[in-house]
Amino acid sequence: MSNIDSESIVNEIQSNLQTSDINDEDDYIGPPVPDEIKIPTNNVQNLSVNESDKKKEAEKLICLKDDSDEDDESDDDDDNDDDSSKQIKIPIESQVSLNHGTKAVTALCIDPPGVRLASGSVDYEVRLWDFAGMDQTLRSFRTLNPCGNHPIKCVKYSPTGDRLLVISGMSQAKVLDRDGHELWECVKGDQYISDMVRTKGHTSPLTCGSWHPRNKEEFLTSSEDGSCRIWDMTKKDKHKSIIKCRAKNGLRTIPTTCSYSNDGKLVACACRDGSILVWDTRKPSFVNATLTIRDGHLNNSDTSSIVFSYRDTLICTRGEGIDETLKLWDIRNFKKPIHIVDGLYSRYSSTDCCFSPDDSIVVTGHSVRPKESGGHLMFYNTNTFELLEKVKVSETHSIKVYWHPKLKQLFAGCGDGTVKVFYDKGDSQRGAMLCASKAHTKTKQMEMVPTQQIITPHALPMFRQDRNKSLKKRNDKDRLDPVKSKRPDLPIKSGQGGRVAASGSTLSSYVIRNLGLSKRVEDDQDPREAILKYAKDAADNPYWITPAYAKTQPKNVLEKSEDEPQEKKIKFAIGQPFKQ
């Protein structure tokens, strides 16, 4: 570097510093700072006058400038990296499998804290799983059969996580507590009333249900009777509000799925005629729908899922049966779908879809066609609906899917009765990671050596072992043992062992002594023997009974002599005539 360049750079820096000082003095407000405490603005003002020092300082400044430029470039790169890292990552690095049973898992939900999982199946059972209490065996801590012989269609945790809504094939929804005990049951309506407004509850099997996101006492249910009902758990005798679903021709149509928006202001349902209806809960009545799409899906097809995005600006619907589509709707321009994906076969009416926590990805599963294998989870970009990832879940159908925003884990219910949990070791938190690495604790067994019996029939009695006797024989033998049977103390004749015999311990001795007889009767004397020893004397010299009856009954009437022959008994033969 030349001397002219270095000197020009230093002069330029000094001039910039002087102008900045002048500008600072012009903009300064208040009394001036004393000179003795004034701090120099920059170390460049203290540069040496020598040219060599100027060259060194100029080279330092140029190096600092180059470093600052590199730092700026690195900061820009870091910003770009941050922008790329802000894009959510699909947690499919590791997986664990929870075994619900042998039949398809058609209902699945996780509580908001991410501590417990509930799964329901067509085998009528609901299983509860606790991630903090499980180990590598991955066993559920409770199995319920809350709705009898009705398949479970939907389970939902309340926004506080302390209640579980169970929707089954029956017309009454049930609310369970956190441990599976029944808290509340909806009222059954009168099936002979055609006007659904005049009934207290549903009269046909339920199809779906959802909790209010802000109120833990309120939830929504839909049924095949053509109505959606809002329930308040503080009022058990009747529903709070009713929504009657109407088709394009004004007739009744069946709502197949329903959902609340994340702020609770909107209620959306999809009907069997292919229409999508949205109501505003802030209005006093639900007569007319706020938003209506009549040809959202094919007619006579069950729309299996309708879900709001976390920002409540998008709605995603999933077709079932002949309608093998996944559609994305913008609620601000609710006229036609903004994206459509076709060819997603769905066999179950509970196949659903969900959004990622940042609304950038839509996830859904598809069923396996006949003579095919391999159920997959399909990940689509929300903006372009391009297929981002295709993950194989099991050899059978992929039915339920849920992306938990707090755990950052994916839960998928399969047609073979298993629940797959996908997670990323670096990004996911708690949940299945707690039990996947927890070792199984074996229960301590009692160290006990069984006694072996050796049968020696010809051994001497002192060496012979007693054979195992039956329980009755052992009890009879223990009954004879005064120690084992806890026999009370026997009465004593005289004092022994520090005990004194009580006078009149028996009833006969007590009575005789109270009569004042002169002769003493011993306590151990048999009263029958004491009386019978006077029998001969009483017979020879009667004193009490015989003289009393001698005048009135000189002859004993009841007394019979032994010499008189007994009368013969008359025997009659069966079938012979009676002869006197």
Side-chain angles (χ1 to χ4, degrees):
M1 184 181 293
S2 62
N3 296 332
I4 300 172
D5 295 336
S6 61
E7 291 179 359
S8 62
I9 292 172
V10 172
N11 293 330
E12 184 179 356
I13 293 172
Q14 290 179 353
S15 62
N16 291 333
L17 291 172
Q18 290 176 2
T19 54
S20 63
D21 293 338
I22 293 171
N23 294 330
D24 293 339
E25 290 178 359
D26 294 338
D27 297 336
Y28 189 83
I29 299 174
V33 182
D35 296 335
E36 55 268 11
I37 64 172
K38 187 177 287 186
I39 301 172
T41 57
N42 201 328
N43 293 329
V44 182
Q45 297 178 358
N46 299 325
L47 292 174
S48 176
V49 185
N50 297 328
E51 293 181 357
S52 60
D53 296 336
K54 289 181 180 181
K55 291 180 181 181
K56 292 179 182 179
E57 295 296 335
E59 290 175 358
K60 290 180 181 180
L61 291 171
I62 292 170
C63 294
L64 290 172
K65 186 176 181 180
D66 296 336
D67 294 339
S68 64
D69 294 338
E70 292 177 359
D71 293 339
D72 293 339
E73 292 177 359
S74 63
D75 292 338
D76 295 337
D77 295 338
D78 293 339
D79 294 338
N80 295 329
D81 294 339
D82 293 339
D83 295 337
S84 62
S85 63
K86 287 180 182 178
Q87 191 175 2
I88 194 166
K89 184 179 179 182
I90 301 175
I92 54 175
E93 180 184 349
S94 303
Q95 65 171 330
V96 294
S97 180
L98 309 178
N99 187 14
H100 177 94
T102 57
K103 296 186 178 181
V105 177
T106 56
L108 184 67
C109 70
I110 301 93
D111 60 349
V115 179
R116 289 192 176 181
L117 179 144
S119 61
S121 175
V122 293
D123 60 358
Y124 322 132
E125 290 184 352
V126 174
R127 288 180 180 263
L128 302 179
W129 315 76
D130 189 358
F131 293 115
M134 283 193 302
D135 50 15
Q136 288 180 350
T137 57
L138 303 176
R139 296 177 181 176
S140 61
F141 73 92
R142 184 150 298 172
T143 302
L144 310 172
N145 194 356
C147 303
N149 295 332
H150 294 278
I152 307 300
K153 296 183 178 181
C154 179
V155 288
K156 294 286 185 181
Y157 271 106
S158 63
T160 55
D162 59 341
R163 296 174 182 176
L164 180 66
L165 175 64
V166 180
I167 304 295
S168 64
M170 62 189 302
S171 60
Q172 296 171 276
K174 292 189 177 183
V175 179
L176 311 179
D177 64 357
R178 191 169 177 81
D179 295 327
H181 304 289
E182 184 175 337
L183 291 178
W184 202 77
E185 184 180 14
C186 294
V187 181
K188 182 177 176 59
D190 191 350
Q191 58 184 349
Y192 297 104
I193 298 178
S194 59
D195 189 1
M196 290 293 103
V197 179
R198 299 183 181 275
T199 60
K200 298 180 180 180
H202 291 293
T203 59
S204 298
L206 301 175
T207 57
C208 191
S210 177
W211 281 98
H212 192 284
R214 303 292 177 84
N215 185 6
K216 70 174 185 177
E217 302 290 340
E218 183 178 324
F219 61 91
L220 171 71
T221 57
S222 60
S223 173
E224 293 182 2
D225 59 6
S227 66
C228 297
R229 299 176 190 261
I230 298 176
W231 301 86
D232 190 355
M233 293 186 63
T234 58
K235 301 176 183 179
K236 191 175 182 180
D237 56 345
K238 192 178 179 181
H239 60 264
K240 179 181 177 182
S241 303
I242 183 173
I243 303 172
K244 295 200 293 186
C245 301
R246 298 295 181 184
K248 187 176 181 180
N249 55 5
L251 299 179
R252 179 189 301 178
T253 183
I254 297 175
T256 58
T257 181
C258 61
S259 177
Y260 270 106
S261 62
N262 291 306
D263 56 1
K265 296 179 182 179
L266 299 177
V267 171
C269 77
C271 303
R272 185 163 291 177
D273 65 337
S275 60
I276 300 173
L277 307 176
V278 180
W279 288 272
D280 192 347
T281 58
R282 293 168 291 182
K283 293 183 178 181
S285 62
F286 298 94
V287 178
N288 297 321
T290 305
L291 301 173
T292 304
I293 296 293
R294 289 301 177 186
D295 299 326
H297 288 271
L298 295 179
N299 192 7
N300 294 328
S301 66
D302 292 346
T303 304
S304 59
S305 176
I306 182 170
V307 61
F308 283 86
S309 64
Y310 286 93
R311 299 173 186 173
D312 289 333
T313 58
L314 301 175
I315 294 178
C316 188
T317 57
R318 178 74 162 88
E320 184 263 341
I322 58 176
D323 188 358
E324 302 175 357
T325 59
L326 177 69
K327 296 184 178 182
L328 187 66
W329 309 80
D330 191 347
I331 203 170
R332 295 162 293 185
N333 187 13
F334 204 61
K335 293 182 180 180
K336 60 180 181 179
I338 57 177
H339 296 294
I340 300 175
V341 176
D342 199 358
L344 297 175
Y345 174 66
S346 176
R347 181 181 175 184
Y348 293 88
S349 59
S350 58
T351 304
D352 61 352
C353 56
C354 69
F355 284 90
S356 62
D358 62 347
D359 292 339
S360 63
I361 301 174
V362 178
V363 191
T364 187
H366 73 87
S367 301
V368 179
R369 297 181 185 274
K371 298 181 181 180
E372 292 183 0
S373 63
H376 295 79
L377 287 179
M378 316 297 288
F379 297 84
Y380 296 97
N381 190 353
T382 307
N383 298 326
T384 61
F385 243 48
E386 295 179 357
L387 182 60
L388 299 177
E389 195 74 31
K390 184 178 180 181
V391 180
K392 185 176 180 181
V393 178
S394 65
E395 297 296 334
T396 59
H397 316 285
S398 176
I399 305 171
K400 303 297 289 186
V401 60
Y402 183 75
W403 194 327
H404 198 279
K406 189 173 182 180
L407 299 180
K408 297 180 181 180
Q409 298 177 5
L410 269 170
F411 298 85
C414 305
D416 57 354
T418 60
V419 179
K420 300 286 185 177
V421 185
F422 295 89
Y423 62 93
D424 190 352
K425 295 182 179 179
D427 194 22
S428 301
Q429 300 176 2
R430 300 190 301 276
M433 298 178 65
L434 296 176
C435 53
S437 59
K438 186 183 294 184
H440 176 59
T441 56
K442 295 182 180 180
T443 57
K444 294 183 178 180
Q445 301 292 337
M446 295 180 62
E447 295 181 359
M448 181 176 172
V449 179
T451 59
Q452 296 179 356
Q453 174 148 11
I454 301 173
I455 300 175
T456 54
H458 301 292
L460 296 175
M462 60 184 302
F463 300 108
R464 189 179 302 166
Q465 294 182 2
D466 294 334
R467 293 186 180 182
N468 292 330
K469 299 180 180 179
S470 63
L471 181 63
K472 183 178 182 301
K473 290 183 179 180
R474 288 202 301 267
N475 292 338
D476 294 342
K477 187 176 181 180
D478 294 341
R479 183 66 180 170
L480 300 177
D481 191 352
V483 177
K484 293 183 179 180
S485 62
K486 298 180 180 180
R487 185 183 66 184
D489 295 334
L490 299 176
I492 57 176
K493 298 179 181 179
S494 60
Q496 61 181 4
R499 297 169 56 197
V500 179
S503 61
S505 59
T506 61
L507 178 61
S508 59
S509 64
Y510 178 78
V511 172
I512 292 171
R513 287 180 183 179
N514 286 342
L515 290 176
L517 296 179
S518 59
K519 294 183 179 180
R520 183 178 179 183
V521 179
E522 299 294 337
D523 292 339
D524 58 343
Q525 185 179 3
D526 189 1
R528 186 172 180 275
E529 293 179 357
I531 294 174
L532 289 178
K533 69 180 181 180
Y534 299 103
K536 185 176 180 181
D537 189 13
D540 297 340
N541 302 316
Y543 182 77
W544 294 106
I545 299 175
T546 304
Y549 291 97
K551 297 180 181 180
T552 58
Q553 294 184 2
K555 185 178 179 181
N556 293 332
V557 179
L558 298 178
E559 185 177 358
K560 294 182 180 181
S561 63
E562 297 180 357
D563 298 337
E564 295 180 358
Q566 296 181 356
E567 296 181 357
K568 294 183 179 179
K569 296 182 179 180
I570 301 173
K571 297 182 180 179
F572 300 98
I574 299 174
Q576 296 181 358
F578 176 73
K579 294 181 180 181
Q580 293 183 354

